[in-house]
Every structure is written in C-alpha cells, then in structure tokens.
Amino acid sequence: MALPPIRRFSVPYRKQVDKPSGIVLDKQEAMFNHFAMSETILTENSFFYEPTMQLKVIKRDPEIPYRLHSHEFDELVFVVSGRGVNITRSESLLLREGSVFFVPPGVEHGYADVDNLVLYNIIFGRRIIGRNMIDLTELPGYCSFFLQEAGIPNLLLSPSQIAELLPLVQLLEKEADDQSTGSGSRILAFAYLLELLVDISRIYDLTPRENNQNARRLWEVISYMDQHLDTPLTTEDLVQVANMSTSTLNRCFKQSTGLSPIEFHIHKRIATACSLIQQRGLSMGQISEACGFKDPNYFSRQFRKVMGMSPKQYQRIFTSRFT
C-alpha cells in the first residue's frame, strides 16, 4: 500500500505558559498530538528565531508516538528514562536510559511503543558549527557518528557516562534558553554544545559497535537492576533473571560494558546518587541510604572509584557550574 505524501509542517517552538488556574499550558502539545501520526518535515525557521543562534534544547517529557518525519537541521537525542523504539523505513532501535542517537537532515525517523520515554532533543543547524569546527573533523568518532550520509548512528552510555553528560545537557538547555542580551549565554551554549559533541565522539570511538548490540541483549537484567537501585544485588540474583550461567553473564557484561554485572549495578546506583545530589535538599547520609549503601564510608569509596572524586567534591562542582 502506498504511503501518503509527505506534508511540510512548521512546528512552533515548545513554550510553556502558566494559566490563571496554575495549570501549565503547553502550546505545542496540541499541535504535536494532532500531527504526530502524519509524515512531516520540520523546518529550521520554526525552531530557530535567531539566524546567528541555530541551537535549541527541547525536553520531551514524555515523548509521544510519532510517525516518520525528517528535519532541515541536525538532531542529537539523549534518552533520560523510560523505553521506546526509534523507527525508520528499514530498521528499528530500542531506546532506554542512556541511548544516544543522531539524526542528520533529511533522514526520516519516528517513535513507537513509547513507555514513559523522557528525552532531550538537541537541535542545531550545520551553520552553527561550520567554520568553528577547528579539529572536530579530525576526531574519528565525530566523523563516524556525526558525518554519516545515511542511517542513524547510536550508542548506549554507561551509568557513569550518563552521570557525566546529563548535567552538561542540562547546562546547555539552560544557556540556550537564555534570550537576554549581554549575558554571554549564546557563546556559553555553543561551548557546551562543542564539549558534548567531543565527549560523545570520544565515547563512540572507544566503544566497539558489537558491544552495544550485546548490551541490548542484557536489557532484562539491566531493567531488573533499575528496579533495585536502592539495594545491593548478588550475582545469583542476576543469573536467575538472565537465565544464563554465571560465566556467560559475566562474559556478556564484560564485553558490553567493561564491567562485571555487580560493578555495573554499582555504577547505576552511583549515577542515581549523582541525580539526587543534583536535586539538592538531601544529606549525603540520606543519599547513601537511598542508593542502598548502608555504610557512608563505603558509599564514598565507591563514588570516588566511579566518578573520580568524592560525593562532596561532585556536589561543589555541580553547584558552582549552575550558579
């Protein structure tokens, strides 16, 4: 059966306005819901009001089912939580926490089977990079991930990588949204974008492609870990969930993540601790207990092992960057 013709559709920038009743009105949501199941081309002039600043960060919380569409701009997608499937005409990609993928201009994709899927869309015009590339194109990972002519390159971040990159995405969102004159927000947003592109390029360059495929075979085990971030797990617990031998489970995790299953679970608990530190308001003792570390000293040692700094140092760095 022939597909309907593609319609060119301009989507206004997602903006939230408070109703008098206190309910948040999403002006874009109604239009997204109306057009989400029809093919569209999203245009640059619908998102970039300032020609010299072709950069926006849009948080989709939650993302909705969205039929095949394409863009006139680059789109980098960072999945924060939930699940879903990114679809193209020829393939599908399972999405979960830590999934990152890049959609070049003109490449069609959409979303299906979404379940509380929360993600950041980092959209930017090629002109914002242009002459400012410097040595970006000398990075093998950048060429492989961001300069492909077809397809949608992707990778699955480890919990510690998520903990490192998510605050950077949030800083980028904060500065890109700042429209005030003379604040330096545009140059700072551009700097954060370059830092993010370089970080992802380096990670992609160091991650064998087959390792990401192996990681996706372990999603049932990883999902079980996600449900038990407040308590330690044993290898025996995970072997039962995986329905494979201890040696096979360990080998698959080592191949996919470079970590044992228990080490990977500890990394995820430390990533949760990082999120709790970012939210502020909790003591280190409360954060330690919430992540299943009964001994604060053991928590501090594991945090330093994963993040390369103590929880207090991480708190100071995060707080200073946002203030």
Side-chain angles (χ1 to χ4, degrees):
M1 183 175 67
L3 290 169
I6 293 177
R7 292 189 291 170
R8 182 173 293 273
F9 171 59
S10 296
V11 182
Y13 174 58
R14 185 184 183 106
K15 185 175 183 181
Q16 291 187 334
V17 180
D18 289 334
K19 287 182 177 180
S21 62
I23 300 174
V24 174
L25 171 64
D26 188 339
K27 288 185 174 181
Q28 188 184 9
E29 196 66 41
M31 298 190 76
F32 263 111
N33 287 334
H34 179 71
F35 288 100
M37 297 311 293
S38 63
E39 294 178 5
T40 62
I41 299 176
L42 307 185
T43 61
E44 285 188 343
N45 60 10
S46 301
F47 289 86
F48 307 130
Y49 299 138
E50 173 54 60
T52 61
M53 186 57 180
Q54 293 185 313
L55 172 62
K56 282 200 179 297
V57 180
I58 302 172
K59 186 176 183 181
R60 299 287 291 158
D61 184 6
E63 181 57 272
I64 60 174
Y66 206 116
R67 199 180 170 185
L68 290 176
H69 64 282
S70 62
H71 328 100
E72 293 181 344
F73 43 80
D74 288 323
E75 180 178 54
L76 177 63
V77 181
F78 189 115
V79 177
V80 178
S81 61
R83 291 179 177 242
V85 178
N86 182 68
I87 57 173
T88 68
R89 289 189 179 274
S90 59
E91 60 185 2
S92 60
L93 170 68
L94 294 174
L95 302 176
R96 57 160 289 120
E97 177 190 16
S99 294
V100 174
F101 61 95
F102 178 69
V103 187
V107 174
E108 292 181 319
H109 81 117
Y111 296 104
D113 300 329
V114 294
D115 179 15
N116 295 316
L117 184 64
V118 179
L119 54 82
Y120 283 97
N121 286 329
I122 299 120
I123 61 174
F124 54 96
R126 292 242 159 149
R127 280 174 289 178
I128 197 175
I129 304 294
R131 294 186 298 272
N132 301 309
M133 277 191 175
I134 310 177
D135 62 349
L136 262 180
T137 53
E138 296 177 14
L139 284 170
Y142 180 83
C143 296
S144 299
F145 197 84
F146 292 103
L147 297 183
Q148 284 196 32
E149 294 184 359
I152 297 181
N154 64 89
L155 72 125
L156 188 63
L157 299 177
S158 71
S160 57
Q161 289 166 343
I162 296 170
E164 290 175 7
L165 295 188
L166 182 55
L168 182 58
V169 173
Q170 293 167 337
L171 285 167
L172 173 55
E173 178 189 30
K174 175 177 177 287
E175 298 300 333
D177 280 349
D178 187 350
Q179 300 296 316
S180 57
T181 303
S183 65
S185 59
R186 286 194 283 185
I187 188 62
L188 197 51
F190 179 65
Y192 287 141
L193 174 65
L194 289 181
E195 184 178 350
L196 183 63
L197 297 183
V198 170
D199 287 345
I200 289 174
S201 298
R202 288 174 172 175
I203 292 170
Y204 190 72
D205 189 40
L206 296 173
T207 305
R209 303 292 81 77
E210 63 271 15
N211 284 2
N212 273 280
Q213 296 300 322
N214 287 340
R216 293 187 178 92
R217 298 191 190 106
L218 298 172
W219 275 12
E220 284 191 19
V221 181
I222 295 173
S223 292
Y224 183 80
M225 291 180 179
D226 287 339
Q227 297 166 23
H228 297 82
L229 295 175
D230 59 349
T231 186
L233 294 175
T234 66
T235 303
E236 289 72 25
D237 295 329
L238 301 177
V239 163
Q240 290 184 359
V241 174
N243 194 26
M244 59 178 68
S245 68
T246 300
S247 59
T248 301
L249 179 65
N250 280 319
R251 185 176 68 254
C252 286
F253 259 94
K254 280 285 187 181
Q255 289 175 345
S256 299
T257 68
L259 303 169
S260 72
I262 298 305
E263 288 171 333
F264 187 84
H265 185 233
I266 289 174
H267 275 235
K268 291 189 73 67
R269 290 158 65 198
I270 295 300
T272 301
C274 290
S275 297
L276 293 176
I277 291 172
Q278 293 166 25
Q279 294 171 20
R280 308 174 193 177
L282 294 177
S283 69
M284 285 302 168
Q286 290 172 316
I287 292 172
S288 171
E289 183 132 359
C291 299
F293 295 96
K294 304 304 180 185
D295 181 352
N297 292 326
Y298 178 67
F299 166 67
S300 184
R301 289 197 301 272
Q302 291 299 321
F303 194 101
R304 184 182 292 276
K305 183 178 179 181
V306 172
M307 299 302 298
M309 65 186 75
S310 71
K312 287 288 187 182
Q313 288 173 318
Y314 180 86
Q315 184 182 50
R316 283 196 296 271
I317 291 173
F318 182 84
T319 302
S320 65
R321 291 190 80 175
F322 267 93
T323 57

